Amino acid sequence: MTAHTTTDVLIIGTGFSGLGMAIQLQRSGRDDFVIVEKADAIGGTWRDNTYPGIACDIPSLMYSFSYEQNPHWTRAYSSGREIWDYLEDVTDKYGLRDRIRFGVELSSARWDADEGVWHATAANGDTYTARILVSGIGALHIPRIPELRGLEDFKQNRPAFHTAQWDHSVDLTGKRVAVIGTGASAIQVIPQIADQVGELRVFQRTAPWVMPRPDHPISPKMRDVFERMPGIQRAYRYAWYWFLESRAIGFNGHPRVQKVGERFVQKYMARKVADPDLRKKLTPDYRMGCKRVLLASDYFPVYERDNVHLVTRGVERLTAKGVVDADGVEHEVDAVIFGTGFHVVDSFQYLDVTGADGQDLAKEFDEHGVETYLGINVAGFPNLFFLLGPNTGLGHNSVVFMIEQQAKYVVRMLDEMDRRRVRTVDVSKPAQDSFQRRIQDKLHNGIWSTGGCTSWYLDAKGVNRTIWPGFTFSYWWETLRVDTEAYEWGRTAPGRGRANAGSDHEPQPAAT
Ligand SMILES: Cc1cc2nc3c(=O)[nH]c(=O)nc-3n(C[C@H](O)[C@H](O)[C@H](O)COP(=O)(O)OP(=O)(O)OC[C@H]3O[C@@H](n4cnc5c(N)ncnc54)[C@H](O)[C@@H]3O)c2cc1C
């Protein structure tokens, strides 16, 4: 039997975004919200990714909510399990579990301009009516497996899975294993399984820039200090924040800073990889920062092992027995692990959202580009808010900081709506266009465009729809206040959308 729920705010997802949003609503005294989660547990990224070696590459002191510091982290860069536990604790502390509908995958949402509400439908047939829809669906949660010829033949005989869908029933001990890809997850997995497997073949398309990870255990004494004196932990957090923030200088088009980083990695690599040919293969042919800079201290040394082989010829296809490289050489393996990333820019294709004029969000993004205002609002889609939306991802600091600013911004918007006594709000198309021009100008001059690479930061047309181009404190500043001029306040009448945004704005008196 299907159920119908009416709520003021409907939140999708229970990762850092969805949980962070719920907490901010609670803190502002708003209690009328429901969270839907397609899985049967909270946690998002940190629930789904259970591969060997999973850990954050931003120090945990920063990769956590500022208002919910955890004195119990056991390492500077926590394991995935510890981050998941942290999110579980936060969920319980704020009593959010009762608000979550598990196993509910929202499949569509349609704006009803007459009623000024969203009507949403889940895959199980449940329906929801909500004034406000907040997307916390994440940017890296739909695994991308390349459409390789022969994949099905291989899978009929031997296991093949993505790092985000690690098959723990497969025993890799003594097996011949292929890892396809050398991105952020792969470089964590490779050193962890090298010891266990018989032979490991790493198929690299593009070499990543990898820096050593300054990880270390946090001693029980230090944890005790953090627990008793939270101010000290906060001081550490500030120090990390400003250190990480300084990395944005290089990413934003200061090549000299990049060169220092590149030289550092080259020297580091020379110490860890003796064979100059191998070193050459492991050296990226693009500027540092163009793709995400990775952190791992055990990655380069793994290639000194006799059972680990780097293949740089690219993957042509799979067969029932193994992987065929671009030279036609077949590498027989017992298992294939895909470290091939996620659907990022196209992740919105998986949710069917219809706006004020009946326009389809995925189609709009496809035709006009993934354009938003502050990465949060989209013109023509009233009362819809994205967390960790387009162009708010980071290469240099913790995205939890961005998520926090966005959740607070949504609350500021709700406050402003209350103050004006209006039920709906829509960002104006001119405000959105001007925001886009500003950030795309910056992105155009940044390392992501000038660094000589292609990456998952870019859409099919080569436009960066993923990264926030600048310091996170400038994003904090931009979201600190609602620019009321950028929005149209009031019930959204039918017939208003991208083309004629602002034409029939229903003015409302401010409640002063
Ligand atoms: C392996 C890995 C390591 C990472 N490490 C770092 C790091 O070190 N530092 C960093 O800053 N970032 C890192 N990231 C990025 C990470 O995704 C973000 O930091 C953060 O966890 C995103 O949180 P989120 O809540 O926005 O999304 P997610 O954690 O992806 O959560 C989204 C949730 O929404 C649910 N959902 C999605 N669609 C629907 C639907 N239609 N209906 C119902 N529920 C739905 C999902 O099931 C999921 O629970 C990493 C990502 C990965 C994959």
Side-chain angles (χ1 to χ4, degrees):
M1 226 180 58
T2 59
H4 180 76
T5 304
T6 301
T7 180
D8 192 41
V9 184
L10 180 63
I11 303 170
I12 319 171
T14 59
F16 272 101
S17 293
L19 298 174
M21 184 69 250
I23 293 169
Q24 293 303 337
L25 288 174
Q26 272 189 349
R27 291 173 124 203
S28 72
R30 290 183 170 81
D31 217 25
D32 190 4
F33 64 87
V34 168
I35 314 171
V36 288
E37 168 54 61
K38 66 178 173 181
D40 54 9
I42 64 108
T45 291
W46 306 102
R47 173 200 65 227
D48 293 344
N49 289 269
T50 58
Y51 59 76
I54 169 93
C56 54
D57 59 13
I58 293 287
S60 303
L61 290 182
M62 262 318 292
Y63 194 70
S64 43
F65 293 121
S66 66
Y67 49 84
E68 217 35 78
Q69 285 296 284
N70 175 16
H72 309 298
W73 297 121
T74 59
R75 303 198 67 86
Y77 293 80
S78 301
S79 68
R81 179 71 239 192
E82 238 180 283
I83 302 169
W84 191 12
D85 286 345
Y86 164 79
L87 289 173
E88 291 274 3
D89 289 347
V90 167
T91 305
D92 287 332
K93 180 171 172 187
Y94 288 85
L96 297 177
R97 224 167 274 280
D98 293 347
R99 301 309 192 83
I100 303 169
R101 308 272 170 88
F102 288 108
V104 176
E105 177 169 6
L106 211 78
S107 46
S108 67
R110 182 178 56 80
W111 176 249
D112 182 329
D114 293 329
E115 290 182 41
V117 291
W118 284 98
H119 294 299
T121 308
N124 65 1
D126 285 356
T127 52
Y128 295 81
T129 299
R131 185 172 67 102
I132 307 291
L133 183 61
V134 181
S135 162
I137 62 171
L140 306 174
H141 82 287
I142 303 168
R144 202 182 65 81
I145 295 182
E147 285 173 18
L148 287 169
R149 199 152 46 96
L151 175 58
E152 289 312 312
D153 296 337
F154 184 86
K155 274 167 89 176
Q156 271 173 18
N157 295 293
R158 297 160 200 212
F161 51 85
H162 191 277
T163 49
Q165 297 163 328
W166 195 268
D167 186 344
H168 291 276
S169 69
V170 176
D171 182 6
L172 297 175
T173 310
K175 299 270 165 50
R176 297 162 303 174
V177 177
V179 172
I180 300 181
T182 50
S185 298
I187 67 138
Q188 291 185 334
V189 167
I190 291 163
Q192 290 292 315
I193 61 171
D195 215 15
Q196 181 196 4
V197 301
E199 286 245 310
L200 184 57
R201 289 187 187 272
V202 179
F203 289 84
Q204 170 189 280
R205 190 175 58 177
T206 323
W209 284 104
V210 184
M211 294 193 120
R213 186 170 63 173
D215 192 21
H216 56 83
I218 301 178
S219 68
K221 205 167 160 195
M222 199 64 203
R223 281 181 254 156
D224 195 42
V225 170
F226 284 164
E227 189 157 20
R228 285 165 196 264
M229 289 175 271
I232 294 190
Q233 187 173 18
R234 204 158 281 280
Y236 269 94
R237 182 181 157 98
Y238 285 141
W240 268 119
Y241 174 80
W242 289 109
F243 169 72
L244 295 171
E245 208 51 9
S246 67
R247 301 202 301 171
I249 298 169
F251 292 173
N252 280 287
H254 294 274
R256 233 188 261 164
V257 180
Q258 294 313 105
K259 276 190 188 140
V260 172
E262 287 169 12
R263 267 201 296 273
F264 173 81
V265 172
Q266 277 154 355
K267 280 188 188 156
Y268 166 67
M269 208 189 281
R271 287 201 307 277
K272 299 293 172 189
V273 184
D275 176 356
D277 283 343
L278 187 55
R279 253 192 342 256
K280 202 166 165 217
K281 286 181 184 169
L282 288 168
T283 305
D285 59 0
Y286 55 88
R287 305 308 309 270
M288 184 185 248
C290 187
K291 288 170 183 279
R292 190 174 174 91
V293 178
L294 309 181
L295 294 190
S297 303
D298 48 5
Y299 178 63
F300 290 135
V302 86
Y303 291 103
E304 293 290 289
R305 300 177 61 104
D306 291 338
N307 70 332
V308 179
H309 312 284
L310 181 69
V311 184
T312 53
R313 292 185 293 278
V315 175
E316 178 68 25
R317 65 191 163 92
L318 266 62
T319 65
K321 290 190 296 186
V323 182
V324 177
D325 70 27
D327 286 353
V329 178
E330 184 176 35
H331 304 260
E332 238 185 84
V333 290
D334 303 306
V336 170
I337 297 164
F338 289 99
T340 41
F342 297 85
H343 289 275
V344 183
V345 179
D346 57 343
S347 61
F348 295 101
Q349 307 282 350
Y350 293 81
L351 196 61
D352 180 9
V353 181
T354 309
D357 275 346
Q359 69 275 47
D360 180 89
L361 181 70
K363 222 166 138 200
E364 286 273 299
F365 280 172
D366 220 29
E367 285 170 9
H368 304 278
V370 182
E371 303 207 331
T372 66
Y373 177 69
L374 294 173
I376 299 175
N377 298 115
V378 183
F381 293 81
N383 289 18
L384 172 63
F385 298 89
F386 287 104
L387 303 179
L388 200 55
N391 287 114
T392 63
L394 300 175
H396 73 283
N397 209 331
S398 168
V399 296
V400 179
F401 179 89
M402 302 295 272
I403 291 169
E404 234 178 278
Q405 310 322 313
Q406 292 162 347
K408 286 180 185 162
Y409 186 80
V410 173
V411 169
R412 285 182 195 120
M413 290 291 290
L414 297 182
D415 287 347
E416 185 63 25
M417 285 160 92
D418 288 352
R419 202 180 68 76
R420 291 171 175 256
R421 298 202 190 126
V422 299
R423 283 182 54 78
T424 66
V425 67
D426 193 2
V427 68
S428 81
K429 185 71 170 53
Q432 179 172 299
D433 289 346
S434 134
F435 173 77
Q436 282 299 319
R437 272 195 301 277
R438 189 156 54 82
I439 61 160
Q440 287 303 336
D441 269 0
K442 278 193 173 180
L443 284 162
H444 192 68
N445 297 321
I447 193 73
W448 319 278
S449 305
T450 59
C453 76
T454 57
S455 73
W456 55 267
Y457 293 158
L458 312 179
D459 69 10
K461 294 184 182 125
V463 183
N464 192 321
R465 303 294 186 187
T466 313
I467 288 288
W468 171 250
F471 296 103
T472 61
F473 57 79
S474 60
Y475 191 75
W476 164 81
W477 178 251
E478 288 204 34
T479 52
L480 195 57
R481 265 169 237 92
V482 173
D483 177 0
T484 55
E485 299 290 305
Y487 289 93
E488 291 148 25
W489 305 88
R491 283 286 295 274
T492 306
R496 215 198 67 209
R498 294 183 69 95
N500 54 350
S503 57
D504 59 357
H505 167 205
E506 183 186 306
Q508 297 287 328
T512 46

